[in-house]
Amino acid sequence: MRVRALKDILHSLQNAAEAAGRPVPRLLAVSKTQDATAVAELIQAGQLAFGENYVQEAAAKRAALAGSGVEWHLIGHLQSNKARDAAELFDWVHTVDRSRLIEALARHRAPDRAPLNVLIQVNIDDEASKHGCAPDDVPALAAAIAAQPRLRLRGLMVIPTPHPDPEQRRDAFRRTRALFEALQAGHPGVDTLSMGMSDDFAVAIAEGATMVRIGTALFGARPPKEPH
Ligand SMILES: *Cc1c(COP(=O)(O)O)cnc(C)c1O
């Protein structure tokens, strides 16, 4: 039935894009807390991009699914002391928000691999408890990433303040898109705006998301307390 959920989601993404007159975004299947068997089921059905929050958890799944052609994305906060593992395990990191991390990821990305795809995480609602850089810091971080040949700047990622009504997040998505377009003007390789989750992807797509990160709607509800 996960395969069924995948088809339903792909259909919903298409509908949301059509309704908004926007291109259909890429689907990132968020597989945190799900086991390798659940991921394998979706791989079989053609889903090849997966998002993980924790480096160790991703390492185990990646090993179990070696050779499956999966693209692994880190979407959880990254501590600097895990940058080496992250640079080795992932194809994309969505949560780059400080210059130390940029240097560490670049230093540890092996020369025989493709450059690591990087998104800058923006704390768009200026939440004290949140990770992500201030909107004003985006240009300097972007320049630092662009200066690293082992990294490839692809765009921005955002997690707006949670709100029961997704409409309340529209303004945050809109402000992120404005930042994204400003970034594109200076960095022609920038093509990815990662925003929208199970409960707000339609609003995010209407406001310019090119990649949505969906967990619950694909795999069902996660246990209330997550590991780590
Ligand atoms: C868990 C998570 C998601 C997926 O959220 P759902 O509501 O389950 O779709 C997306 N992005 C990030 C950063 C997450 O941690």
Side-chain angles (χ1 to χ4, degrees):
M1 68 287 149
R2 272 186 207 108
V3 172
R4 182 60 213 248
L6 174 63
K7 293 208 165 102
D8 288 349
I9 283 290
L10 290 171
H11 195 72
S12 303
L13 298 184
Q14 199 166 352
N15 284 345
E18 256 165 43
R22 296 280 314 160
V24 181
R26 281 191 81 193
L27 170 62
L28 184 65
V30 175
S31 46
K32 63 180 170 209
T33 79
Q34 308 298 330
D35 60 20
T37 313
V39 175
E41 237 181 277
L42 292 190
I43 295 172
Q44 285 276 312
Q47 174 66 28
L48 289 176
F50 291 86
E52 289 282 341
N53 289 57
Y54 306 103
V55 172
Q56 265 98 332
E57 187 185 333
K61 266 176 249 187
R62 187 174 180 268
L65 297 162
S68 53
V70 166
E71 195 179 77
W72 293 101
H73 295 232
L74 179 66
I75 61 170
H77 176 66
L78 179 58
Q79 291 167 311
S80 299
N81 64 3
K82 299 248 171 71
R84 175 196 289 267
D85 290 342
E88 196 180 313
L89 287 167
F90 291 95
D91 303 292
W92 290 66
V93 174
H94 289 219
T95 49
V96 170
D97 60 0
R98 58 202 190 278
S99 48
R100 248 191 93 193
L101 203 48
I102 294 168
E103 286 153 25
L105 287 170
R107 191 163 60 243
H108 294 300
R109 182 66 169 185
D112 61 337
R113 302 272 306 275
L116 181 66
N117 295 293
V118 162
L119 301 179
I120 299 171
Q121 182 181 358
V122 185
N123 183 357
I124 197 69
D125 290 318
D126 192 25
E127 292 174 271
S129 61
K130 270 273 177 72
H131 298 297
C133 71
D136 285 350
D137 293 342
V138 168
L141 290 176
I145 294 163
Q148 294 286 357
R150 304 309 306 138
L151 305 180
R152 188 168 163 212
L153 176 65
R154 298 296 293 268
L156 300 180
M157 182 272 224
V158 74
I159 312 171
T161 308
H163 194 286
D165 177 9
E167 264 311 314
Q168 299 295 320
R169 278 172 253 173
R170 185 180 293 275
D171 185 61
F173 289 140
R174 196 169 285 169
R175 282 180 280 124
T176 309
R177 181 183 178 177
L179 275 180
F180 176 69
E181 287 176 350
L183 184 63
Q184 279 184 310
H187 298 271
V190 163
D191 60 1
T192 303
L193 181 51
S194 167
M195 61 185 194
M197 311 197 288
S198 290
D199 62 346
D200 62 6
F201 65 80
V203 178
I205 291 168
E207 297 304 332
T210 70
M211 186 182 289
V212 293
R213 310 177 307 266
I214 311 267
T216 309
L218 266 178
F219 292 103
R222 289 178 294 274
K225 182 134 189 353
E226 290 166 14
H228 309 271

